[in-house]
Amino acid sequence: MKKRNLYLKVMPVEEALQKYLDVIHKNVAIQKEKIKVIDSLGRKTTSAIYAKYNSPLFNSAAMDGIAVISEKTQMATDFHPLNLQKDLEYVVVDTGDPIREPFDAVIMAEDLIETEGGEVLIREPAHSWQHIRPVGEDIVAHELILTSNHIIRSIDIGVLLSAGITEIEVYKNIRVAIFATGTEIIEPDAEIKEDSIIESNSRMFENLVKEQGGIAVRMGILPDDFALIKNAVEKASKEYDMVIVNAGSSAGTEDFTVHVLKELGEVIVHGVAIKPGKPVILAMIGNVPVIGLPGYPVSAFIGYQNFVRPVIDYMQNNLCSDPQKIDAFITKRLVSSLKHKEYVRVKVGKVDNKMIATPLARGAGAAMSLVRADGFCVIDQNKEGIEIGEKVSVELYRPIEQIEHTVVSIGSHDLILDIIADMMPNMFQDSYLSSSHVGSYAGLMALKRGEAHIAPIHLLNEETGEYNITFIKKFFTDICRPMALIKGVQRVQGIIVPKGNPKNITSIADIKNHRFVNRQKGAGTRILFDYLLNKNKINANEINGYDNERPTHMSVAALVQSGAVDCGIGIQSAAVAMGLDFIPVGVEEYDFAIRKCHLELPHIQSFIAVLKSDEFKNRVQALKGYEFDNIGKIITDF
Amino acid sequence: MKKRNLYLKVMPVEEALQKYLDVIHKNVAIQKEKIKVIDSLGRKTTSAIYAKYNSPLFNSAAMDGIAVISEKTQMATDFHPLNLQKDLEYVVVDTGDPIREPFDAVIMAEDLIETEGGEVLIREPAHSWQHIRPVGEDIVAHELILTSNHIIRSIDIGVLLSAGITEIEVYKNIRVAIFATGTEIIEPDAEIKEDSIIESNSRMFENLVKEQGGIAVRMGILPDDFALIKNAVEKASKEYDMVIVNAGSSAGTEDFTVHVLKELGEVIVHGVAIKPGKPVILAMIGNVPVIGLPGYPVSAFIGYQNFVRPVIDYMQNNLCSDPQKIDAFITKRLVSSLKHKEYVRVKVGKVDNKMIATPLARGAGAAMSLVRADGFCVIDQNKEGIEIGEKVSVELYRPIEQIEHTVVSIGSHDLILDIIADMMPNMFQDSYLSSSHVGSYAGLMALKRGEAHIAPIHLLNEETGEYNITFIKKFFTDICRPMALIKGVQRVQGIIVPKGNPKNITSIADIKNHRFVNRQKGAGTRILFDYLLNKNKINANEINGYDNERPTHMSVAALVQSGAVDCGIGIQSAAVAMGLDFIPVGVEEYDFAIRKCHLELPHIQSFIAVLKSDEFKNRVQALKGYEFDNIGKIITDF
């Protein structure tokens, strides 16, 4: 077998960062540069800036009108307007024109009488300095304009230029070289081969660096070749202020980064007690910080935030801005290990004035969980986990105002939820939908615990053939807190098979002989499938893949499409979306359970209005497999 | 006389904007464009974006280890480890490698026994799909990734690329042409002539447009020439999405903009009831919005914020983000007119848990007031003013956290305040100084009203020759709220004269015969001057310019330097800064009055620490005219 790296031990996050920053503080000088004021938006001054010129540069007219000699105007009255002689006793001035001796006052155009012959008469005396802006009225030369460490705004640029300053010294934006490594890695627009992994982390880093004000230079993709990586990283360490090497930082057979960095410089830390994100390398080549980050997207992101961000902030003298933090109640028990600090992505919602945090997928590969998340719940290394309902601190990265106007949906998954989420903020300002997919049963439980506004469900009462209402009645027995049902869509459920149906599956009975993918326990589709097995007198043991569970219709369809299984259970729209064939087994009611008191919430009203809109129906019809009887109707008395 | 424009009437702000936006909504289409995902940071999606590929693209190893056929592992136990045959029964895989048939599970490297002969043994059975990331586990093709109107973040870029999306449609960033006009206007780096005005507004606009995401193109400076302006604006209206013409929008003799726009297109609004900022022109040339803005920097800024900003926001489909608003108590009576809505720049401070807003210079030319301001207090058109102590709403544009950590200083002006303001945030995180210059007397009054933490004063008791303490005792008689004095510097006061002292002024008596500039009533320097006049038996009437008041030492020195006056009264450091000569008349104590209870505030402690620091003394010594006896000493019992 090929040789693998070993982590001798992993270091706690804070200790690792401090150890690295200590080395950086000692070895890396904060750089400054002179730039043009006109290019300085958002940059930070290194020292106080004083005006060079006065503004205005000279005594000048503050109004449109005429400049006069004040002592020669003293005889003017309303009854005896005074006739002034042009050039000798007055000159015409516009606002901003210089006022020169012997003139020492301005009379506004509105206060003049102009005769047809072109003569000018005044009706009252002017006093010395009247309507004149004295030199330096706005800015006096040598006056402080900006303090050091000031971030330049648009108005500052105007004032600096007015004060005669065209160049200023600012902290240098550091140049960061970013390497992607991996033989199997391809560019996003390249042709996809059987084992391809699309390179995307370096683009994420590039933009994270940009957001911090740094200059990111993506160096392209290097194959897993020790010599190539070594040469490229060595060259970059001479030309850039910082280097990021992505992937190859782990303990796989082709993870060369740590060996390269040991040869070129000094590895300060290898392996940090953080999850996801353990295989971080913090190194120096000469005076240049070089950081190796793991390849899984979530690990890469968390590694960046915890180690690259503070280093760049230090090197650019940025203010480290902590994310907004709020307290929220966690909806799921989280077990964590004393071996690491863990970052759990959460969706955050506000239900009945309580902030609720619902954990998302915890895998390091779950990049979509970063996109979907409203924030992180951080579990400290010295904590073994969080109990359900415990109050936790959440680092928020979606505006809290948006969260307060969001309908929280927890329950069964359907593609129509995506369409509603897209339409709500477009049709109504400040209305959003956030949905977590846990299946119908778990959705009702979440609703009961007050963690959601609505639960999308499709639960068949096997005895009556009726959908949903039976279950609401069974789950919610407190008559003081009555429930309602918002009618949704009718969906066609069935068997999803590859295009052309190569195994010729035509009924539930045919599934027995083929590789199958199921939905998770508590999902309405799973319940329907169990009902159908029962009806067909098939035992679950007879199904090859009964325990092979996927959490959404789309992920079931994806597995069928990949060829790894021969069939799965799900809705028609998922089969259509993936270009697969479909054998219908029934039509079901997909509705939304809700507490009656929540119906009046403005964002719930927006939700219902979207359901009833023509645009919604048109978009859903394009998915295939839906009907709209009674859509948006509210049922309250049951 | 040359012809002037006339405003027939000015329109209320809201009405003017609505009228203009109505025309724009009818005539201007919101534009979209396709761009590369890698360039999309901060851009806004026009429609929902769905995944093109699955991620992972194939069933892949979730761990480093070996891929096995699960059913062939079932016999493995701790007591009877199972020997697997390479290639046939297992293959080595690193995380991310594809798992192909017949392999259907992964065993982690850590769980393997590797013999010296290179054989691999396993100790427990693997179950099907173990440590395999199924195709689409993270992202399923056709799944919603981003909704419409989503502003792209770094993590979104990573996920979009992983999902096979390399191009997206976003709202187009509009291209805005910016003209500066005016024959007397020069570029900031040009040689200054006697009547030059440095062009800076267009640079401010350029960066305001950039901050909104637009593409600003500064078209240079045009002289006041009707034909030239007309040709240039016409050409720009064909090539750009929007045009800004700066200055020439007023009613001066050379204000051509409105005539040009009337010939080229339609003027929707000319003149708005806003102060500063009245001479705004809102016009259309074909489908292109053209806005004429006034020349005074503050008017230009307010005109931009009220009219250009909402038009660009509409054209780019930006979210219009309102500034943060807070309630504060106003420290000065503000008289306004029913003729306009007024924007008053204010400094904001927090004293004794009360937010305090202190109005700054109200002139349209006072660009520095924009730099110094913490926000705007807006006086609606239907209000005639605001009484002192009235609660007002302030549009804040400095972070409220900073305001809460700011020492509010109101009182006498000195250059050392700038140095303290610069040093405080550098020496201590989260400590700031904000100072308003109103003179010693007014400073003590503000302190008494609870509007400031400290009042810098230098008040001479003419009878005892003692400084400051007499006045604090006289002003603050409530023994329950004891006062303190933080000792500051000793300053040399004297007569400021031009370099070489051309009028040969050697004493106060000499001032009588020359043009003089004074300080305002209540300023310590004014009181000292009156004392000296009295001592020299000179009557104020005998001083030519006794009523010619300037608010700071530096503005006095600037007027002397301009040649408009022959001498002024002020401190040595101001004369030195402006390269002027100086005749000393005395040394005074410049100290800080403070309520005893405020001494313990952390930012006051920072203030005192700065005063006592060596860096402070070194920087102040370079200004000349200061001594440091007892600096930072606190006197409490008097």
Side-chain angles (χ1 to χ4, degrees), chain A residues 6 14 88 120 207 310 340 383 409 463 551 574:
Chain A
L6 285 172
E14 291 72 17
L88 210 61
V120 167
N207 286 287
H340 47 242
K383 257 199 118 170
S409 164
E463 286 157 29

Side-chain angles (χ1 to χ4, degrees), chain B residues 118-134:
Chain B
E119 286 187 330
V120 168
L121 294 103
I122 61 169
R123 284 184 288 205
E124 57 179 339
H127 61 81
S128 172
W129 292 97
Q130 164 183 302
H131 299 316
I132 291 181
R133 297 182 64 208

Side-chain angles (χ1 to χ4, degrees), chain B residues 1-120:
Chain B
M1 273 194 94
K2 285 181 265 177
K3 214 184 143 199
R4 294 181 191 276
N5 299 318
L6 285 172
Y7 303 108
L8 290 177
K9 60 178 176 109
V10 290
M11 203 180 277
V13 177
E14 291 73 15
E15 186 187 335
L17 180 62
Q18 197 49 59
K19 193 172 171 193
Y20 193 44
L21 285 178
D22 285 347
V23 174
I24 287 172
H25 292 170
K26 222 174 288 171
N27 293 281
V28 182
I30 295 179
Q31 295 177 66
K32 303 168 180 184
E33 61 179 339
K34 283 222 161 178
I35 60 168
K36 287 188 174 173
V37 165
I38 57 172
D39 298 325
S40 67
L41 185 68
R43 303 296 293 272
K44 197 186 216 178
T45 57
T46 59
S47 55
I49 296 177
Y50 295 89
K52 194 171 148 197
Y53 298 150
N54 297 306
S55 174
L57 282 160
F58 39 77
N59 300 313
S60 58
M63 295 284 178
D64 297 328
I66 58 171
V68 297
I69 303 156
S70 59
E71 63 181 23
K72 296 200 175 165
T73 65
Q74 301 307 315
M75 304 302 289
T77 67
D78 250 351
F79 294 107
H80 299 285
L82 190 67
N83 190 349
L84 293 181
Q85 211 182 329
K86 197 169 174 185
D87 296 335
L88 210 60
E89 292 177 320
Y90 80 88
V91 287
V92 175
V93 288
D94 281 337
T95 303
D97 284 348
I99 304 299
R100 301 201 185 86
E101 290 190 42
F103 303 108
D104 69 346
V106 168
I107 299 175
M108 287 195 287
E110 293 90 312
D111 294 339
L112 300 175
I113 306 168
E114 299 179 46
T115 67
E116 290 193 2
E119 286 187 330
V120 168

Side-chain angles (χ1 to χ4, degrees), chain A residues 1 53 58 94 100 114 138 142-143 148-149 154 192 194 196 200 211 253 365 367-368 372 422 426 577, chain B residues 1 53 58 94 100 114 138 142-143 148-149 154 162 192 194 196 211 253 365 367-368 372 422 426 554 577:
Chain A
M1 272 194 94
Y53 298 149
F58 38 78
D94 281 337
R100 301 202 183 85
E114 299 180 46
D138 184 14
H142 310 287
E143 175 185 21
S148 46
N149 291 316
S154 300
I192 291 183
E194 211 194 353
S196 300
S200 63
E211 285 181 306
T253 54
M368 259 312 279
R372 288 201 193 100
D422 186 42
N426 282 348
Chain B
M1 273 194 94
Y53 298 150
F58 39 77
D94 281 337
R100 301 201 185 86
E114 299 179 46
D138 184 15
H142 311 287
E143 174 184 24
S148 47
N149 290 315
S154 301
S162 297
I192 291 182
E194 210 193 356
S196 300
E211 284 180 306
T253 55
M368 259 313 279
R372 287 199 193 103
D422 185 42
N426 282 348
M554 288 299 275

Side-chain angles (χ1 to χ4, degrees), chain B residues 275-276 334 342-346 359-360 362 375-379:
Chain B
K275 185 181 174 185
L334 294 174
E342 182 164 358
Y343 282 76
V344 180
R345 280 82 73 203
V346 292
L360 289 163
R362 291 167 80 181
F376 281 114
C377 164
V378 182
I379 309 177

Side-chain angles (χ1 to χ4, degrees), chain B residues 453-465:
Chain B
H453 296 111
I454 57 169
I457 54 172
H458 54 117
L459 290 167
L460 169 66
N461 182 334
E462 298 179 19
E463 285 156 29
T464 63

